Every structure is written in structure tokens, then in C-alpha cells.
Amino acid sequence: MTLAEVPNNTNSTNPFLILNYEPALESLGEDYYDEVAAAEFPLHALRWRNDALLPLLGLDAKAVTDEDFITAFGKFEGRKPLLALRYHGYQFGEYNPFLGDGRGFLYGQVRGVDGELYDFGTKGSGRTPYSRGGDGMLTLKGGVREVLAAEMLHAMGVRTSRCLSMVETGLSLWRGDEPSPTRSSVMVRLSQSHIRFGTFERLHYFRRPDLTKKLLDHVIEQYYQHLDSEQDKYALFYAELVQRVAELVAQWMAAGFCHAVLNTDNMSITGESFDYGPYAFIPNYDPYFTAAYFDYYRRYSYIHQPEICKWNLEALQEALKAVIPQTDMEAGLASFDEYYLAEYRSLMLKKLGFEQLSQPQADELLKATIEFLKHYPVSYHHFFADMATTFSSKWRDDASSILRDSEIGQSLGTSELFLNWSGIYHRILSDLTPEEIEKVAQTLARHNPKTMILRPVIESIWEPIVQEDNWQPFYELIQQIQSGN
């Protein structure tokens, strides 16, 4: 990838600057945001451009230069207004009225070729009225980590925002949780919406039901268009949000992903995953794995994620009850567990190679799988990846051949829990035709990536960046993620 710097002038032919930006959120008025200015940086080195996203914007990657990215998303020339959004939120269960976009802004909103509205949102672009004494900046490592998280989750089928660009900005930042000084970056995120649960919670805090209704009408009009003409659209909206969030957290759980900071200000009103901080993919099936070092009571540990998302949805009811009857929202939330379990079961079965099984078979197999993974120091991701790479039609005829060619099978193949699991798996396979066995192999390969960004992997690509300014391992890792290798 070419690193580039551009002269301090705006190129009117820049493809990003001539997109048809829509003032969707801006049109709601200044009760929801503050206009801000972007920071000026001493350096603009393009470290990441996500060409895979450009066709969605109607752009040809070959026609977009590195200089175009830097002008638009590093120097932020030629685009106004830039909007820091206002919101509050429950942080670790405690309400915080002193939040808002403190190091980012809404750069603009554009309609994709699919007809959907998308946000360009920044991270690390400087101070705003909500910086609360912070510098408004993003560490370079933080940018690298978010790029990796978004691409990995997208590759695993998780509904997520993605990073469009990352520019190194030449500042030295001081952070208590990593060696300082450290390098800086500014990132642009492409997502469906930056409206959060906390956006509504702020309006309730200030007792503005009129603004709540106005915002809710906007959300339904833009992101739940199929409900807009329904008589009970508000109740239907909340019920669908419950389903989206339940399915999203099921996707995280199947992917072995721990978000780390599931505060209500980090929950999107569209049910999309975004804003990754100290996340981690679990190394092994430890239910109480906790990604954030400051989560002392393990509130946001891996196993707690479904109940926390449900809690966040329940907390949102307080903000929405000015518009939606409480009984309607309670009825909508009552289906959370059903949606979650159905999605989780479906996704885990696919990781095991099956598009569908009878519920008794599915429950028996999933219980045995989790019991095995929970009680042995087996890599969660390697277990499924090894199933995909070593699967053989022989598994149908001989239970002892299951994972025989894997290090896991060789080391634990005689353990009681492994024999119980492999016996159940073999029994299911024995009922399948050769054609169905081939479909199992294809499903395993499709749903279990070989590459996984566990923390040691991230550190292994970060070290060359720090020591030698060598970005090649980072680009190679992204290519492996995107290609599924």
C-alpha cells in the first residue's frame, strides 16, 4: 500500500467529496448534535483503505487514490457540517449524563447502491464539547485493533460496522493502559447508524418526549422503513430491535467474541455491532473470560453478554415509554431468549457442519460440544478450524477417526468427554448419505475460518509496526481474514 501525503488544497474531483451526502440526521435540528471542527495533524500517512467497501458507495477502487482518502478522511477538507452527536448511557450499570461524541463526529451520510443509508463516522478526529478533558485522539494500535475486529467479524457473518480508512497522524499520545508515548491515528467507520440507545436516554433525562418521538420517527423512517406505514409501528419497532440485538449477541457468542464494554452508549439502535475497544476473541471456552482489564466484577464477561444486552434493552424502555406503551415493550422483550437461542443453535450447528438437525439432536450435540470445550484447555477456534480442515467421509463409518489427524484428537481423543462428543457426532453422521456428508464438509469450511485474531496474533503484527514500521504482516493478516484463509 502506498503511503501518501497531499498538498493542502481540496481536489473537487475527489470521489468522496462529490458523493451525494444526505442531511438525514442534520435535518432533525441542533437538539441532537453540535457542529465541530476536525483537528489538524502534523502527518497524514494512509495505513488502511478498505477497497472492499467502495462498490457499496458506487465507487471504483481503481479510480480512488490514496490522496483522495487522505484529503477526505485525514485532512477533512471540503466537508461540512461535522456533527458530534449527543448521548448519555448506562456505564457498568450506572447512569452517566456526561457523555457524547468525545473523539469523533458524523462526517456525513450517504445512500449505498443497495438503497440503504450509511454513516461515515470518525474516531480520533479531535476534541469536541464531550471530550471531558481528553485529547480526542485515537492511538494507532487502537485503530489497528478496530480494523481487525470489524473485518474478522464481518468475515464470520456478524452484523458489524466496518472501517473505511485509517490514517496515521503523527502525534505522540499518552495512555495509561499501554506503553507511552504511542503513535496516533484517525479512523473512519462505515455503519448503518451512529444513533445509540444512549441517544434516547439523554432525551429522557432532559424530559423531552417531543424530541424522543421525533428521533424515533426518524429511526423508523430510515432504518425500519417496512414498519413506517404500520398502525402500531412503535411497538413493532421495539420488538424488531429486540430480535436484532438477540441475534447479534448470538452471533458474537458463536464467534467466540467478547465485546468488553457493553454500555448502552455502545449499543446501536439498528442492532449493529460497532465501537470496538478492549475486545477479545476467547482463546478457549472460558465462560467468565473478561476482555477489559478494568471490568473488575466481570459484568461484561463472555457468558454474561446475552443477559447484559437484554438488560440494556430493558433499560431503553424507560427512555421510550414516552412514545411506546410499557406493556407493548414488555411483550417485545419477552421474545429475547427465544430469538437468542434459535440463532445461537443455528450458528453453532453450522460451525459443526450442519445446516439443520432435529431439536433433540441439536441440543444433545451442542451440550456435548460445550461440555468438552469447557473442561479441557482446547482452543475454541482451533477446535472448529481443525474439524473443517481434517473432516473426512471416514468419520461416518468410524467414530475413532474423528479428529484423529488433529492435535486435539491426538492429545484428548481417549478422554471421556471427547468420546461422548465424538460418539454423538458419529451417530448423526451415520444417518447421512454421501451427498449429505459432502455438504457437511462444505458447511464446516464455510463457517470456520482458519485465521483468528487472538491477542497474541494482534501483538505479532503490531510488533513489526512498532519496531520497524513494517506494515506487511498487518496487510497479509487482513488479506487472510478477507479471503477466509
Side-chain angles (χ1 to χ4, degrees), residues 311-369:
W311 187 95
N312 288 341
L313 284 161
E314 187 173 13
L316 180 62
Q317 291 181 9
E318 185 68 17
L320 295 180
K321 69 181 183 181
V323 183
I324 310 175
Q326 184 83 32
T327 54
D328 288 346
M329 290 189 288
E330 290 172 355
L333 189 59
S335 297
F336 180 94
D337 293 349
E338 179 184 349
Y339 290 135
Y340 169 77
L341 290 172
E343 182 76 357
Y344 182 71
R345 181 187 292 113
S346 174
L347 293 172
M348 291 299 290
L349 286 179
K350 288 174 181 175
K351 290 183 72 64
L352 289 161
F354 304 107
E355 291 293 339
Q356 61 181 12
L357 290 176
S358 69
Q359 186 163 332
Q361 281 183 314
D363 290 345
E364 183 185 26
L365 179 59
L366 291 183
K367 181 179 179 181
T369 302

Side-chain angles (χ1 to χ4, degrees), residues 1-3 45-53 66 69 143-144 146-148 150-151 162-168 186-188 471 474-475 478-479 482:
M1 180 177 293
T2 304
L3 304 183
L46 183 63
R47 299 300 189 180
W48 167 245
R49 51 177 285 172
N50 199 341
D51 287 351
L53 291 176
D66 288 358
F69 273 94
V144 166
E146 182 145 347
V147 169
L148 291 172
E151 291 306 299
R162 297 175 72 184
C163 299
L164 179 61
S165 66
M166 181 180 65
V167 174
E168 185 170 358
V186 63
M187 187 191 71
V188 172
W471 287 82
F474 169 72
Y475 299 135
I478 291 288
Q479 185 177 21
Q482 292 183 336

Side-chain angles (χ1 to χ4, degrees), residues 69-99:
F69 273 94
I70 288 174
T71 300
F73 304 134
K75 296 192 172 184
F76 299 106
E77 296 179 0
R79 174 73 197 141
K80 289 184 180 180
L82 308 174
L83 309 178
L85 305 189
R86 301 174 180 177
Y87 53 84
H88 290 176
Y90 284 93
Q91 299 194 309
F92 291 87
E94 299 294 327
Y95 193 78
N96 187 346
F98 304 106
L99 298 176

Side-chain angles (χ1 to χ4, degrees), residues 175-194:
R175 295 290 188 270
D177 57 344
E178 58 184 90
S180 296
T182 188
R183 292 153 72 175
S184 62
S185 67
V186 63
M187 187 191 71
V188 172
R189 178 193 298 127
L190 184 74
S191 69
Q192 278 206 316
S193 177
H194 282 79

